[in-house]
Amino acid sequence: MAVVLTRVTVPTVGDEGQLPDSLPSLFWPDVPLSFETLRIITPYAVAMALVGLLESLMTAKLVDDVTDTRSGKTREAWGQGVSNVITGFFGGMGGCAMIGQTMINVKASGARTRISTFLAGVFLLILVVGLGDLVGDIPMAALVAVMIMVSVGTLDWHSIHPKTLRRMPRSETLVMLSTVAVVVITHNLAIGVIVGVIVAMVAFARRVAHFTTVKDVAHPDADTKVYAVTGELFFASSNDLVYQFDYRGDPANVVIDMTDSHIWDASTVATLDAITTKYARYGKTVEIVGLNRDCCQGQRLRPGLSRRPAGAQSAHRPARRPAGRSADRHLQLLMRQRC
């Protein structure tokens, strides 16, 4: 109002581009359908889809927490993708859920149903199409002030309090700092999100890798020793598994109980093959028991499998196949990558 009355020259919304004065119409985008076009738009499409999907899912989770409800995340993702594709045929830009507007809508306005989102879109359409001249005179500084207040109101200040940061795992703090730093440096939210996701994946794999344990649990007789493996076994946690057995000092028969563990990828299968091979070098028999049924199907294993030294008989069952072939048949390295 002050800008209009005093006629001060400041950047306005209208300076950013002409506002539409009619409803959008259906048309086919006038772009060549070629690999060159795909090469140009793919980076932007992937970045937009990644950031939009993450923000929408995060917004849905926040709304679920505030309203004590449960939303369909898969349905939201499909709806956003389909609507963005359809929007392109009307000359519009793709979009996603906005945390700031959603929190104001839910907390300040008390919205609880989808009609609130629909009405927000209708009011925006009326402002842009019907009152475009007035909207064009709004100073950009006023919108900046609104965005600052929205940021202040939606930010969870408790999450960055020093006491909260001291209680949080360092990996979580590292993810937050790396994401913010990359966004500030590159001015690209997509790059910041990608870096944050990568840091979170590495930190998670590093943390889970230390949850696997191998314990000596039983000695049924003088010639048998039972190991129990506990934890999730994948490429990060299985690296040190091969070094947690006493190949030279163990008795002639070794049983490895996998009841409390789960195999997730082929690298763990290769590790088990390396363990049985090391024991076979010392003329000892290994039997792996307790494998998860789903895991056996996914990795093409059998619940009970063993490797024996050449010419040796198992203490628990007679050898039915020539030595050397049993492990090759029972412990295949060409496995599916999903358990």
Side-chain angles (χ1 to χ4, degrees), residues 17-73:
Q18 183 179 2
L19 295 174
D21 55 3
S22 63
L23 295 176
S25 58
L26 180 64
F27 72 98
W28 184 263
D30 186 17
V31 294
L33 298 178
S34 63
F35 287 104
E36 180 65 18
T37 302
L38 294 177
R39 186 187 65 82
I40 295 174
I41 67 176
T42 296
Y44 301 99
V46 172
M48 177 181 169
L50 176 63
V51 175
L53 187 60
L54 289 177
E55 184 171 5
S56 296
L57 295 179
M58 185 167 56
T59 302
K61 183 179 183 303
L62 291 176
V63 173
D64 291 346
D65 294 339
V66 173
T67 60
D68 291 330
T69 58
R70 182 179 179 181
S71 60
K73 307 299 189 300

Side-chain angles (χ1 to χ4, degrees), residues 130-143:
L131 305 174
D133 294 338
L134 295 178
V135 174
D137 292 334
I138 298 177
M140 293 298 296
L143 295 184

Side-chain angles (χ1 to χ4, degrees), residues 17-263:
Q18 183 179 2
L19 295 174
D21 55 3
S22 63
L23 295 176
S25 58
L26 180 64
F27 72 98
W28 184 263
D30 186 17
V31 294
L33 298 178
S34 63
F35 287 104
E36 180 65 18
T37 302
L38 294 177
R39 186 187 65 82
I40 295 174
I41 67 176
T42 296
Y44 301 99
V46 172
M48 177 181 169
L50 176 63
V51 175
L53 187 60
L54 289 177
E55 184 171 5
S56 296
L57 295 179
M58 185 167 56
T59 302
K61 183 179 183 303
L62 291 176
V63 173
D64 291 346
D65 294 339
V66 173
T67 60
D68 291 330
T69 58
R70 182 179 179 181
S71 60
K73 307 299 189 300
T74 302
R75 183 175 60 181
E76 295 288 344
W78 273 102
Q80 177 176 305
V82 172
S83 62
N84 283 341
V85 172
I86 296 177
T87 299
F89 291 99
F90 289 88
M93 296 186 299
C96 65
M98 294 185 293
I99 296 179
Q101 179 179 337
T102 302
M103 289 296 100
I104 292 177
N105 193 22
V106 173
K107 289 185 176 181
S109 303
R112 290 296 183 271
T113 64
R114 297 183 181 91
I115 193 174
S116 61
T117 304
F118 175 77
L119 290 178
V122 172
F123 292 149
L124 181 61
L125 182 64
I126 294 174
L127 287 175
V128 172
V129 177
L131 305 174
D133 294 338
L134 295 178
V135 174
D137 292 334
I138 298 177
M140 293 298 296
L143 295 184
V144 172
V146 172
M147 292 304 300
I148 291 176
M149 294 307 300
V150 170
S151 301
V152 172
T154 57
L155 178 63
D156 186 4
W157 294 98
H158 176 71
S159 63
I160 59 175
H161 194 279
K163 292 183 179 180
T164 304
L165 294 177
R166 284 195 295 266
R167 291 196 300 265
M168 290 178 60
R170 293 183 178 179
S171 59
E172 301 297 330
T173 304
L174 178 62
V175 172
M176 179 181 65
L177 294 178
S178 60
T179 303
V180 173
V182 172
V183 171
V184 172
I185 294 173
T186 63
H187 303 285
N188 192 321
L189 181 59
I191 297 178
V193 170
I194 293 174
V195 171
V197 171
I198 293 175
V199 173
M201 292 171 58
V202 173
F204 175 77
R206 181 177 180 273
R207 184 167 64 241
V208 175
H210 300 288
F211 290 166
T212 303
T213 59
V214 178
K215 296 182 179 180
D216 178 6
V217 295
H219 296 265
D221 52 63
D223 294 331
T224 305
K225 185 176 183 179
V226 180
Y227 285 101
V229 180
T230 305
E232 304 298 321
L233 299 173
F234 62 110
F235 64 92
S237 61
S238 61
N239 288 335
D240 297 332
L241 186 64
V242 69
Y243 304 111
Q244 300 188 41
F245 297 90
D246 186 6
Y247 303 100
R248 188 185 301 271
D250 281 345
N253 300 311
V254 176
V255 178
I256 302 177
D257 187 1
M258 309 287 292
T259 303
D260 296 326
S261 63
H262 196 103
I263 298 176

